[in-house]
Amino acid sequence: MAVTGSDPLSREGAVSQLRRHPEIDLREECGPGTVALLVEDSLDDAALARLRRVARGEGTRAVLVVGSLRESQLLDIVECGVGAIVWRHEATAHRLVQAVLAASRGDGDLPADLLGRLISQVGTLHRGGASRTGPASPGLVPREVDVLRLVAEGLDTGEIAGRLSYSERTVKNVLHGLTTRLHLRNRAHAVAHALREGYI
């Protein structure tokens, strides 16, 4: 994984927190299969541009550590492909490792207050767009909806498998199949899509 920050002190602070954990392989550059951790105070235009550049890199998964966000930025962040967000005031070594590992697996990891705000925002967008006309979005099958509903509740792969009496491999295959078919970046993006389209 690679760490970038709006200032050298923030970057070095995150690196020093992560360096102590052998499960984290720190690198200088982002690339296919890596996790990029971005540390920002807030998301101004320059920070959002950095986030888009890193998150849209081929095969890179992004974790955002941020001090504050405007509600209007949430959907943009998720649609950029950010799978995990950590508040700066909660960015302990344990919390950073948890978010990085979740992102590396393709899982979403959002603070509970942000998840509620995201669901509310997507619901508002869905209600506002219900009257729009145009081609229908590709549908989700009931099994995909069941899995995404549990992802939205914050369950991990093992918990979803247990709840639905599936194997973990089946849950991963369902999520991989729908994210690939619908060109979605990760689990958080898939949940946002399902909410926007009224499936959950």
Side-chain angles (χ1 to χ4, degrees), residues 10-44:
S10 294
R11 182 189 179 284
E12 289 305 315
V15 167
S16 72
Q17 292 279 6
L18 294 168
R19 187 176 285 132
R20 295 179 260 161
H21 295 273
E23 64 270 37
I24 304 295
D25 178 23
L26 289 167
R27 300 178 183 183
E28 290 296 317
E29 303 270 327
C30 296
T34 61
V35 174
L37 184 117
L38 289 90
V39 183
E40 302 287 348
D41 285 323
S42 62
L43 274 188
D44 58 15

Side-chain angles (χ1 to χ4, degrees), residues 12 27 31 54-55 66 73 100 105 109 121 124 136 152 167 175 186:
E12 289 305 315
R27 300 178 183 183
V54 170
V66 68
Q73 296 172 318
V100 167
R105 295 187 304 266
D109 187 350
Q121 185 178 8
T124 301
S167 69
L175 289 166
N186 52 38

Side-chain angles (χ1 to χ4, degrees), residues 130-146:
S131 62
R132 70 176 184 253
T133 57
S137 170
L140 298 179
V141 298
R143 179 159 80 164
E144 292 170 335
V145 173
D146 291 341

Side-chain angles (χ1 to χ4, degrees), residues 1 4 29 31 45 49 54 61 87 91 99-100 119 134 144 177 182 190 198:
M1 75 153 299
T4 63
E29 303 270 327
D45 290 341
V54 170
R61 297 184 171 145
W87 292 122
V100 167
I119 289 170
E144 292 170 335
L182 300 176

Side-chain angles (χ1 to χ4, degrees), residues 60-166:
T60 302
R61 297 184 171 145
V63 174
L64 175 63
V65 179
V66 68
S68 64
L69 287 174
R70 292 190 313 271
E71 196 158 317
S72 61
Q73 296 172 318
L74 280 175
L75 208 51
D76 288 338
I77 291 168
V78 171
E79 289 188 342
C80 264
V82 173
I85 300 173
V86 177
W87 292 122
R88 277 184 78 121
H89 67 273
E90 295 176 353
T92 62
H94 172 75
R95 184 68 186 94
L96 291 176
V97 168
Q98 180 184 2
V100 167
L101 293 178
S104 72
R105 295 187 304 266
D107 293 346
D109 187 350
L110 302 176
D113 62 322
L114 275 187
L115 185 57
R117 286 164 51 190
L118 178 63
I119 289 170
S120 173
Q121 185 178 8
V122 171
T124 301
L125 286 174
H126 176 67
R127 285 186 298 279
S131 62
R132 70 176 184 253
T133 57
S137 170
L140 298 179
V141 298
R143 179 159 80 164
E144 292 170 335
V145 173
D146 291 341
V147 169
L148 286 176
R149 186 173 290 120
L150 295 175
V151 170
E153 290 177 18
L155 277 65
D156 66 21
T157 303
E159 293 167 325
I160 294 168
R163 187 84 62 93
L164 297 176
S165 299
Y166 294 159

